[in-house]
């Protein structure tokens, strides 16, 4: 006989939304601090607004939350699968930054924002998924 553990959807959604908001704010702060320190936020000659960092973080964090909800329902080990998939996606998200038409300092700042967002959202959601 096997035991099936169920992830409480409400706590998963609540934790995911709180982490999403926190990550959006954190990436905006990182971008603002970088700009204040003199790092250009321009890619291909077009400046990225500080608010753009937060908005895109929220959008992709919500995609991650949706992924977690699907895995909570269908995966045998949702936490393990979520962490593995999101770590791969985080690594892949760095590729466009490396290839961007931007200064090295800008590329590093862009990558830092991805890592900051992942460090906030992934653990917050993962801890609400069953192992």
């Amino acid at each position: 006989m096997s035991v099936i553990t169920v992830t409480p959807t409400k706590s998963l959604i609540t934790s995911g939304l709180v982490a999403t908001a926190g990550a959006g704010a954190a990436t905006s702060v990182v971008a603002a601090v970088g700009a204040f320190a003199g790092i250009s936020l321009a890619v291909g000659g077009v400046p990225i607004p500080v608010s753009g960092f937060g908005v895109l973080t929220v959008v992709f964090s919500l995609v991650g939350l949706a992924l977690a909800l699907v895995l909570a329902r269908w995966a045998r080990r949702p936490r393990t699968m979520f962490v593995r998939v999101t770590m791969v996606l985080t690594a892949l998200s760095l590729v466009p930054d490396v290839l961007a038409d931007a200064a090295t300092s800008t590329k590093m700042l862009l990558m830092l924002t991805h890592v900051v967002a992942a460090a906030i959202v992934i653990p917050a959601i993962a801890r609400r998924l069953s192992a």
Side-chain angles (χ1 to χ4, degrees):
M1 180 158 113
S2 65
V3 176
I4 298 174
T5 57
V6 178
T7 301
T9 303
K10 185 177 178 181
S11 77
L12 176 59
I13 291 171
T14 301
S15 294
L17 291 176
V18 169
T20 293
T27 57
S28 292
V29 167
V30 168
V33 168
F36 183 75
I39 299 173
S40 171
L41 299 181
V43 175
V46 179
I48 301 170
V50 170
S51 62
F53 287 84
V55 169
L56 286 176
T57 298
V58 167
V59 168
F60 286 104
S61 295
L62 290 175
V63 170
L65 179 56
L67 171 66
L69 290 166
V70 168
L71 291 174
R73 174 74 175 102
W74 298 105
R76 181 180 294 180
R77 293 188 185 123
R79 180 184 303 159
T80 301
M81 182 65 74
F82 177 77
V83 171
R84 287 180 182 168
V85 169
T86 54
M87 294 304 290
V88 168
L89 291 173
T90 301
L92 289 174
S93 77
L94 302 177
V95 173
D97 297 339
V98 170
L99 301 175
D101 178 20
T104 301
S105 58
T106 302
K107 293 178 182 185
M108 298 302 288
L109 181 64
L110 292 171
M111 289 188 281
L112 177 62
T113 61
H114 290 231
V115 173
V116 166
I120 293 169
V121 175
I122 294 171
I125 293 175
R127 78 174 55 100
R128 296 292 181 189
L129 294 169
S130 58

